[in-house]
């Protein structure tokens, strides 16, 4: 039988992260909501970052 | 959102609305972790009676006169889409009346209590409402005794029993 990894620790950490987010001050939560909204609008716009517009790194 | 709330508070002072409370997703976010939402729902108590459109007309007039733009069901106040909803049954009326007063960036505002939000979501019964009810229960932000009282007062006990398998952790 195939053995799968135990991800209970990852799930526990996700749950902990959600609790941390829930405990943030309201103002900070609303800032996150606005950022999520911006991200949604960006995805909806269908814009893509072309390779030519990517900032050049030192190596290339 | 701070400026938006200042405008809504001014509407109360100017007598356009009697009372208000933030409901919907933004109110849920006050108690839960943040998630994506499109608008700010403001439930309003007004003295006028009639259809929802008639009740909302003075609110729209007031805001449009001040340069805010209406688009679809929203009115944009300081860039934020706001939906005004008149209280439409005894539950939403009680939710506005018993809302708690909080501060947002030093601006006083009113926000529905978790027990009322859960009861309204149960009454609305969209899939996302069930999901949010389960989030409220999981976080333990709801006082179950108060919730039971709200459900009993508004004849929602049966609905709760019928649907609790969808949101009970």
């Amino acid at each position: 039988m195939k053995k799968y990894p135990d991800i209970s620790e990852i799930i526990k950490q996700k749950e902990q992260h959600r609790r941390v987010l829930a405990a943030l001050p309201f103002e900070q939560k609303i800032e996150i909501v606005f950022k999520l909204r911006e991200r949604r609008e960006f995805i909806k716009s269908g814009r893509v970052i072309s390779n030519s517009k990517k900032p050049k790194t030192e190596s290339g | 959102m701070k400026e938006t709330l200042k405008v809504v508070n001014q509407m109360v002072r100017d007598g356009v609305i009697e009372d208000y409370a933030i409901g919907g997703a933004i109110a849920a976010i006050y108690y839960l972790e943040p998630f994506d939402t499109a608008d700010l729902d403001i439930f309003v108590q007004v003295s006028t009676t009639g259809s929802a459109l008639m009740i909302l007309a003075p609110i729209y007039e007031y805001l449009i006169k001040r340069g805010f733009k209406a688009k679809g069901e929203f009115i944009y106040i300081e860039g934020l889409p706001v939906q005004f909803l008149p209280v439409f049954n005894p539950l939403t009326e009680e939710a506005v009346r018993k809302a708690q007063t909080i501060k947002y960036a030093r601006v006083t505002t009113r926000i529905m209590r978790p027990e009322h939000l859960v009861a309204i979501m149960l009454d609305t019964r969209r899939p996302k409402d069930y999901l949010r009810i389960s989030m409220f229960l999981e976080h333990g932000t709801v006082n179950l005794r108060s919730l039971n009282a709200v459900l009993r007062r508004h004849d929602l006990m049966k609905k709760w029993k019928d649907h609790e398998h969808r949101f009970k952790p």
Side-chain angles (χ1 to χ4, degrees):
Chain A
M1 206 169 113
K2 192 173 175 183
K3 224 179 154 196
Y4 293 99
D6 176 14
I7 62 159
S8 55
E9 196 50 43
I10 297 174
I11 291 170
K12 213 196 283 177
Q13 279 171 10
K14 272 175 176 274
E15 179 54 36
Q16 181 57 31
H17 182 60
R18 287 180 58 208
R19 287 189 186 280
V20 169
L21 286 174
L24 288 174
F26 192 34
E27 290 87 343
Q28 242 173 293
K29 292 188 199 181
I30 295 300
E31 266 176 44
I32 295 174
V33 172
F34 286 140
K35 279 183 191 152
L36 289 171
R37 199 170 70 158
E38 272 172 29
R39 211 175 284 179
R40 170 169 39 90
E41 292 301 321
F42 180 76
I43 292 167
K44 255 173 63 182
S45 74
R47 274 179 283 157
V48 286
I49 302 166
S50 70
N51 281 341
S52 60
K53 282 185 183 166
K54 269 188 186 168
K56 287 200 170 157
T57 58
E58 275 178 35
S59 58
Chain B
M1 197 164 91
K2 181 182 174 184
E3 297 307 316
T4 311
L5 295 174
K6 279 186 187 173
V7 172
V8 179
N9 287 340
Q10 188 60 44
M11 288 168 75
V12 178
R13 283 194 290 274
D14 290 343
V16 186
I17 52 178
E18 278 182 11
D19 198 4
Y20 80 92
I22 300 173
I26 295 286
I29 288 165
Y30 179 72
Y31 303 100
L32 305 171
E33 74 260 33
F35 50 82
D36 190 17
T37 180
D39 61 330
L40 170 67
D41 289 334
I42 305 269
F43 285 76
V44 293
Q45 177 75 62
V46 289
S47 51
T48 354
T49 51
S51 70
L53 284 179
M54 276 168 66
I55 290 171
L56 293 177
I59 295 174
Y60 275 68
E61 266 170 38
Y62 175 94
L63 291 167
I64 288 167
K65 214 182 275 177
R66 280 158 183 79
F68 301 113
K69 300 263 181 283
K71 196 176 166 194
E73 69 269 41
F74 303 120
I75 188 140
Y76 285 74
I77 308 178
E78 312 291 346
L80 186 68
V82 181
Q83 181 157 36
F84 287 93
L85 298 150
V87 293
F88 55 87
N89 59 17
L91 172 61
T92 51
E93 186 167 21
E94 182 184 285
V96 170
R97 198 176 56 244
K98 293 194 172 175
Q100 57 171 328
T101 301
I102 61 152
K103 290 270 185 197
Y104 176 86
R106 294 190 191 167
V107 177
T108 303
T109 189
R110 289 176 52 75
I111 201 148
M112 286 183 182
R113 293 181 185 278
E115 296 77 18
H116 284 110
L117 289 168
V118 167
I120 292 168
M121 288 186 281
L122 176 71
D123 206 22
T124 314
R125 286 190 291 169
R126 295 166 302 180
K128 67 176 175 182
D129 293 314
Y130 292 130
L131 175 69
R132 283 181 200 157
I133 293 175
S134 83
M135 286 162 80
F136 268 100
L137 297 177
E138 206 184 306
H139 278 281
T141 37
V142 174
N143 179 314
L144 292 175
R145 191 180 281 188
S146 306
L147 175 64
N148 277 336
V150 173
L151 296 177
R152 268 198 303 275
R153 260 199 310 279
H154 299 283
D155 207 15
L156 288 166
M157 270 324 256
K158 188 178 180 311
K159 232 179 230 182
W160 181 266
K161 295 261 180 260
D162 288 349
H163 296 277
E164 67 181 342
H165 64 279
R166 295 171 194 261
F167 44 75
K168 268 275 175 99

